[in-house]
mmCIF file of all heavy atoms in Angstrom:
data_model
loop_
_atom_site.group_PDB
_atom_site.id
_atom_site.type_symbol
_atom_site.label_atom_id
_atom_site.label_comp_id
_atom_site.label_asym_id
_atom_site.label_seq_id
_atom_site.Cartn_x
_atom_site.Cartn_y
_atom_site.Cartn_z
ATOM 1 N N VAL A 106 91.424 147.524 98.384
ATOM 2 C CA VAL A 106 92.645 147.071 97.785
ATOM 3 C C VAL A 106 93.835 147.544 98.666
ATOM 4 O O VAL A 106 94.047 148.693 98.835
ATOM 5 C CB VAL A 106 92.813 147.603 96.373
ATOM 6 C CG1 VAL A 106 94.059 147.069 95.699
ATOM 7 C CG2 VAL A 106 91.549 147.303 95.533
ATOM 8 N N VAL A 132 98.972 141.735 97.275
ATOM 9 C CA VAL A 132 97.841 142.648 97.467
ATOM 10 C C VAL A 132 96.736 141.886 98.212
ATOM 11 O O VAL A 132 96.403 140.744 97.876
ATOM 12 C CB VAL A 132 97.245 143.062 96.104
ATOM 13 C CG1 VAL A 132 96.104 144.061 96.345
ATOM 14 C CG2 VAL A 132 98.252 143.774 95.218
ATOM 15 N N ILE A 134 92.874 141.903 98.926
ATOM 16 C CA ILE A 134 91.618 142.461 98.495
ATOM 17 C C ILE A 134 90.623 142.104 99.541
ATOM 18 O O ILE A 134 90.282 140.922 99.668
ATOM 19 C CB ILE A 134 91.102 141.876 97.116
ATOM 20 C CG1 ILE A 134 92.260 141.957 96.086
ATOM 21 C CG2 ILE A 134 89.852 142.634 96.671
ATOM 22 C CD1 ILE A 134 92.270 143.184 95.274
ATOM 23 N N ILE A 173 83.178 140.686 94.626
ATOM 24 C CA ILE A 173 84.520 140.856 95.186
ATOM 25 C C ILE A 173 85.494 139.820 94.590
ATOM 26 O O ILE A 173 86.666 140.103 94.336
ATOM 27 C CB ILE A 173 84.492 140.795 96.735
ATOM 28 C CG1 ILE A 173 85.817 141.309 97.334
ATOM 29 C CG2 ILE A 173 84.192 139.448 97.316
ATOM 30 C CD1 ILE A 173 86.159 142.744 97.165
ATOM 31 N N ALA A 174 84.966 138.614 94.287
ATOM 32 C CA ALA A 174 85.781 137.626 93.665
ATOM 33 C C ALA A 174 86.278 138.112 92.298
ATOM 34 O O ALA A 174 87.445 137.951 91.943
ATOM 35 C CB ALA A 174 85.007 136.260 93.494
ATOM 36 N N ARG A 175 85.376 138.769 91.570
ATOM 37 C CA ARG A 175 85.717 139.289 90.248
ATOM 38 C C ARG A 175 86.871 140.316 90.358
ATOM 39 O O ARG A 175 87.776 140.364 89.549
ATOM 40 C CB ARG A 175 84.544 139.925 89.577
ATOM 41 C CG ARG A 175 83.602 138.833 88.997
ATOM 42 C CD ARG A 175 82.620 139.298 87.976
ATOM 43 N NE ARG A 175 81.640 138.257 87.707
ATOM 44 C CZ ARG A 175 81.917 137.195 86.936
ATOM 45 N NH1 ARG A 175 83.059 137.146 86.283
ATOM 46 N NH2 ARG A 175 81.094 136.212 86.816
ATOM 47 N N VAL A 176 86.757 141.164 91.414
ATOM 48 C CA VAL A 176 87.835 142.176 91.633
ATOM 49 C C VAL A 176 89.129 141.436 91.816
ATOM 50 O O VAL A 176 90.155 141.773 91.302
ATOM 51 C CB VAL A 176 87.514 143.126 92.733
ATOM 52 C CG1 VAL A 176 88.677 144.047 93.108
ATOM 53 C CG2 VAL A 176 86.283 143.981 92.482
ATOM 54 N N GLY A 177 89.054 140.406 92.648
ATOM 55 C CA GLY A 177 90.289 139.612 92.949
ATOM 56 C C GLY A 177 90.902 139.043 91.653
ATOM 57 O O GLY A 177 92.121 139.119 91.415
ATOM 58 N N PHE A 178 90.024 138.411 90.842
ATOM 59 C CA PHE A 178 90.550 137.796 89.606
ATOM 60 C C PHE A 178 91.098 138.908 88.631
ATOM 61 O O PHE A 178 92.109 138.675 87.989
ATOM 62 C CB PHE A 178 89.452 137.009 88.915
ATOM 63 C CG PHE A 178 89.204 135.668 89.522
ATOM 64 C CD1 PHE A 178 88.099 135.393 90.316
ATOM 65 C CD2 PHE A 178 90.100 134.628 89.345
ATOM 66 C CE1 PHE A 178 87.877 134.127 90.820
ATOM 67 C CE2 PHE A 178 89.932 133.375 89.862
ATOM 68 C CZ PHE A 178 88.788 133.098 90.639
ATOM 69 N N GLU A 179 90.374 139.986 88.532
ATOM 70 C CA GLU A 179 90.789 141.058 87.653
ATOM 71 C C GLU A 179 92.180 141.608 88.071
ATOM 72 O O GLU A 179 93.049 141.862 87.246
ATOM 73 C CB GLU A 179 89.776 142.257 87.582
ATOM 74 C CG GLU A 179 88.484 141.888 86.965
ATOM 75 C CD GLU A 179 88.554 141.683 85.447
ATOM 76 O OE1 GLU A 179 89.442 142.116 84.813
ATOM 77 O OE2 GLU A 179 87.578 141.029 84.917
ATOM 78 N N VAL A 180 92.322 141.833 89.421
ATOM 79 C CA VAL A 180 93.593 142.391 89.858
ATOM 80 C C VAL A 180 94.712 141.331 89.646
ATOM 81 O O VAL A 180 95.834 141.678 89.167
ATOM 82 C CB VAL A 180 93.547 142.810 91.361
ATOM 83 C CG1 VAL A 180 94.921 143.139 91.954
ATOM 84 C CG2 VAL A 180 92.576 143.983 91.523
ATOM 85 N N ALA A 181 94.409 140.088 89.921
ATOM 86 C CA ALA A 181 95.412 139.016 89.688
ATOM 87 C C ALA A 181 95.822 138.944 88.285
ATOM 88 O O ALA A 181 96.984 138.725 87.914
ATOM 89 C CB ALA A 181 94.876 137.676 90.203
ATOM 90 N N ARG A 182 94.852 139.081 87.364
ATOM 91 C CA ARG A 182 95.088 138.972 85.924
ATOM 92 C C ARG A 182 96.105 140.035 85.470
ATOM 93 O O ARG A 182 96.908 139.751 84.548
ATOM 94 C CB ARG A 182 93.727 139.222 85.226
ATOM 95 C CG ARG A 182 93.762 139.006 83.738
ATOM 96 C CD ARG A 182 92.388 139.043 83.198
ATOM 97 N NE ARG A 182 91.925 137.690 82.881
ATOM 98 C CZ ARG A 182 90.764 137.388 82.390
ATOM 99 N NH1 ARG A 182 89.897 138.377 82.162
ATOM 100 N NH2 ARG A 182 90.431 136.170 82.089
ATOM 101 N N LYS A 183 96.100 141.203 86.091
ATOM 102 C CA LYS A 183 97.027 142.277 85.697
ATOM 103 C C LYS A 183 98.389 142.086 86.481
ATOM 104 O O LYS A 183 99.316 142.922 86.281
ATOM 105 C CB LYS A 183 96.472 143.584 86.089
ATOM 106 C CG LYS A 183 95.285 143.944 85.142
ATOM 107 C CD LYS A 183 94.920 145.453 85.354
ATOM 108 C CE LYS A 183 93.544 145.693 84.767
ATOM 109 N NZ LYS A 183 92.524 146.020 85.721
ATOM 110 N N ARG A 184 98.481 141.104 87.326
ATOM 111 C CA ARG A 184 99.741 140.930 88.052
ATOM 112 C C ARG A 184 100.308 139.533 87.687
ATOM 113 O O ARG A 184 100.478 139.203 86.551
ATOM 114 C CB ARG A 184 99.474 141.053 89.530
ATOM 115 C CG ARG A 184 99.070 142.438 89.931
ATOM 116 C CD ARG A 184 98.647 142.497 91.434
ATOM 117 N NE ARG A 184 99.522 141.751 92.255
ATOM 118 C CZ ARG A 184 100.544 142.303 93.040
ATOM 119 N NH1 ARG A 184 100.688 143.588 93.039
ATOM 120 N NH2 ARG A 184 101.308 141.522 93.762
ATOM 121 N N ARG A 185 100.632 138.742 88.723
ATOM 122 C CA ARG A 185 101.299 137.438 88.436
ATOM 123 C C ARG A 185 100.284 136.298 88.222
ATOM 124 O O ARG A 185 100.647 135.112 88.291
ATOM 125 C CB ARG A 185 102.288 137.136 89.570
ATOM 126 C CG ARG A 185 103.374 138.212 89.689
ATOM 127 C CD ARG A 185 104.566 137.792 90.542
ATOM 128 N NE ARG A 185 104.194 137.357 91.865
ATOM 129 C CZ ARG A 185 104.066 138.191 92.890
ATOM 130 N NH1 ARG A 185 104.170 139.529 92.714
ATOM 131 N NH2 ARG A 185 103.746 137.730 94.093
ATOM 132 N N LYS A 186 99.024 136.668 88.177
ATOM 133 C CA LYS A 186 97.942 135.699 87.855
ATOM 134 C C LYS A 186 97.775 134.567 88.890
ATOM 135 O O LYS A 186 97.444 133.452 88.532
ATOM 136 C CB LYS A 186 98.196 135.084 86.453
ATOM 137 C CG LYS A 186 98.186 136.120 85.342
ATOM 138 C CD LYS A 186 98.230 135.400 84.011
ATOM 139 C CE LYS A 186 97.988 136.304 82.853
ATOM 140 N NZ LYS A 186 98.647 137.636 82.879
ATOM 141 N N LYS A 187 97.965 134.985 90.109
ATOM 142 C CA LYS A 187 97.754 133.942 91.171
ATOM 143 C C LYS A 187 96.784 134.569 92.228
ATOM 144 O O LYS A 187 97.047 135.653 92.797
ATOM 145 C CB LYS A 187 99.062 133.662 91.914
ATOM 146 C CG LYS A 187 99.883 132.582 91.189
ATOM 147 C CD LYS A 187 101.219 132.432 91.856
ATOM 148 C CE LYS A 187 101.106 131.949 93.327
ATOM 149 N NZ LYS A 187 102.426 131.749 93.937
ATOM 150 N N LEU A 188 95.658 133.890 92.420
ATOM 151 C CA LEU A 188 94.678 134.399 93.409
ATOM 152 C C LEU A 188 94.505 133.322 94.535
ATOM 153 O O LEU A 188 94.219 132.145 94.229
ATOM 154 C CB LEU A 188 93.318 134.611 92.714
ATOM 155 C CG LEU A 188 92.192 135.220 93.645
ATOM 156 C CD1 LEU A 188 92.597 136.591 94.151
ATOM 157 C CD2 LEU A 188 90.886 135.229 92.927
ATOM 158 N N CYS A 189 94.658 133.812 95.734
ATOM 159 C CA CYS A 189 94.393 132.946 96.878
ATOM 160 C C CYS A 189 93.123 133.402 97.596
ATOM 161 O O CYS A 189 93.101 134.558 98.128
ATOM 162 C CB CYS A 189 95.603 132.932 97.829
ATOM 163 S SG CYS A 189 95.322 131.916 99.295
ATOM 164 N N TYR A 214 87.873 132.941 84.463
ATOM 165 C CA TYR A 214 89.300 133.400 84.520
ATOM 166 C C TYR A 214 90.250 132.189 84.479
ATOM 167 O O TYR A 214 90.989 131.941 85.387
ATOM 168 C CB TYR A 214 89.533 134.225 85.799
ATOM 169 C CG TYR A 214 88.715 135.437 85.952
ATOM 170 C CD1 TYR A 214 87.429 135.406 86.484
ATOM 171 C CD2 TYR A 214 89.148 136.701 85.401
ATOM 172 C CE1 TYR A 214 86.579 136.508 86.540
ATOM 173 C CE2 TYR A 214 88.309 137.822 85.465
ATOM 174 C CZ TYR A 214 87.053 137.718 86.047
ATOM 175 O OH TYR A 214 86.265 138.859 86.141
ATOM 176 N N ASP A 216 92.904 131.802 83.016
ATOM 177 C CA ASP A 216 94.269 132.194 82.995
ATOM 178 C C ASP A 216 94.837 132.514 84.383
ATOM 179 O O ASP A 216 96.039 132.677 84.588
ATOM 180 C CB ASP A 216 94.518 133.469 82.119
ATOM 181 C CG ASP A 216 93.501 134.557 82.479
ATOM 182 O OD1 ASP A 216 92.396 134.247 82.839
ATOM 183 O OD2 ASP A 216 93.936 135.714 82.415
ATOM 184 N N VAL A 217 93.946 132.550 85.431
ATOM 185 C CA VAL A 217 94.352 132.864 86.786
ATOM 186 C C VAL A 217 94.401 131.643 87.547
ATOM 187 O O VAL A 217 93.417 130.844 87.577
ATOM 188 C CB VAL A 217 93.437 133.889 87.421
ATOM 189 C CG1 VAL A 217 93.883 134.134 88.875
ATOM 190 C CG2 VAL A 217 93.470 135.240 86.627
ATOM 191 N N GLU A 218 95.521 131.324 88.258
ATOM 192 C CA GLU A 218 95.594 130.137 89.110
ATOM 193 C C GLU A 218 94.952 130.444 90.483
ATOM 194 O O GLU A 218 95.402 131.329 91.193
ATOM 195 C CB GLU A 218 97.108 129.836 89.285
ATOM 196 C CG GLU A 218 97.379 128.640 90.172
ATOM 197 C CD GLU A 218 98.911 128.649 90.581
ATOM 198 O OE1 GLU A 218 99.725 129.029 89.791
ATOM 199 O OE2 GLU A 218 99.125 128.305 91.751
ATOM 200 N N LEU A 219 93.910 129.647 90.777
ATOM 201 C CA LEU A 219 93.163 129.873 92.024
ATOM 202 C C LEU A 219 93.559 128.890 93.081
ATOM 203 O O LEU A 219 93.670 127.678 92.852
ATOM 204 C CB LEU A 219 91.665 129.776 91.763
ATOM 205 C CG LEU A 219 90.749 129.826 92.987
ATOM 206 C CD1 LEU A 219 90.763 131.228 93.644
ATOM 207 C CD2 LEU A 219 89.308 129.478 92.619
ATOM 208 N N ASP A 239 100.409 136.318 95.709
ATOM 209 C CA ASP A 239 100.287 137.427 94.735
ATOM 210 C C ASP A 239 99.117 138.293 95.141
ATOM 211 O O ASP A 239 99.218 139.314 95.704
ATOM 212 C CB ASP A 239 100.130 136.839 93.281
ATOM 213 C CG ASP A 239 100.006 137.935 92.265
ATOM 214 O OD1 ASP A 239 100.283 139.109 92.520
ATOM 215 O OD2 ASP A 239 99.542 137.594 91.146
ATOM 216 N N VAL A 240 97.851 137.695 94.921
ATOM 217 C CA VAL A 240 96.671 138.414 95.320
ATOM 218 C C VAL A 240 95.904 137.548 96.318
ATOM 219 O O VAL A 240 95.669 136.342 96.077
ATOM 220 C CB VAL A 240 95.757 138.782 94.171
ATOM 221 C CG1 VAL A 240 94.532 139.539 94.598
ATOM 222 C CG2 VAL A 240 96.585 139.632 93.104
ATOM 223 N N ILE A 241 95.467 138.138 97.424
ATOM 224 C CA ILE A 241 94.624 137.460 98.431
ATOM 225 C C ILE A 241 93.257 138.105 98.379
ATOM 226 O O ILE A 241 93.176 139.333 98.385
ATOM 227 C CB ILE A 241 95.224 137.575 99.833
ATOM 228 C CG1 ILE A 241 96.511 136.763 99.925
ATOM 229 C CG2 ILE A 241 94.192 137.173 100.888
ATOM 230 C CD1 ILE A 241 97.305 137.034 101.292
ATOM 231 N N VAL A 242 92.202 137.315 98.235
ATOM 232 C CA VAL A 242 90.877 137.892 98.331
ATOM 233 C C VAL A 242 90.159 137.276 99.536
ATOM 234 O O VAL A 242 90.160 136.066 99.713
ATOM 235 C CB VAL A 242 90.074 137.712 97.036
ATOM 236 C CG1 VAL A 242 89.751 136.253 96.727
ATOM 237 C CG2 VAL A 242 88.774 138.542 97.084
ATOM 238 N N TYR A 310 93.797 154.766 89.983
ATOM 239 C CA TYR A 310 92.442 154.115 89.894
ATOM 240 C C TYR A 310 91.333 155.068 89.546
ATOM 241 O O TYR A 310 90.453 154.680 88.794
ATOM 242 C CB TYR A 310 92.078 153.476 91.240
ATOM 243 C CG TYR A 310 92.881 152.177 91.488
ATOM 244 C CD1 TYR A 310 94.169 152.253 92.113
ATOM 245 C CD2 TYR A 310 92.379 150.929 91.209
ATOM 246 C CE1 TYR A 310 94.879 151.101 92.378
ATOM 247 C CE2 TYR A 310 93.105 149.793 91.467
ATOM 248 C CZ TYR A 310 94.354 149.839 92.059
ATOM 249 O OH TYR A 310 95.073 148.747 92.358
#
Side-chain angles (χ1 to χ4, degrees):
V106 183
V132 182
I134 311 266
I173 193 70
R175 286 197 188 280
V176 174
F178 281 108
E179 293 290 340
V180 171
R182 186 170 257 181
K183 292 193 195 110
R184 293 174 43 99
R185 300 195 304 277
K186 298 187 170 47
K187 277 174 62 178
L188 181 67
C189 179
Y214 299 88
D216 52 323
V217 177
E218 179 196 322
L219 173 67
D239 178 16
V240 181
I241 291 172
V242 66
Y310 288 84

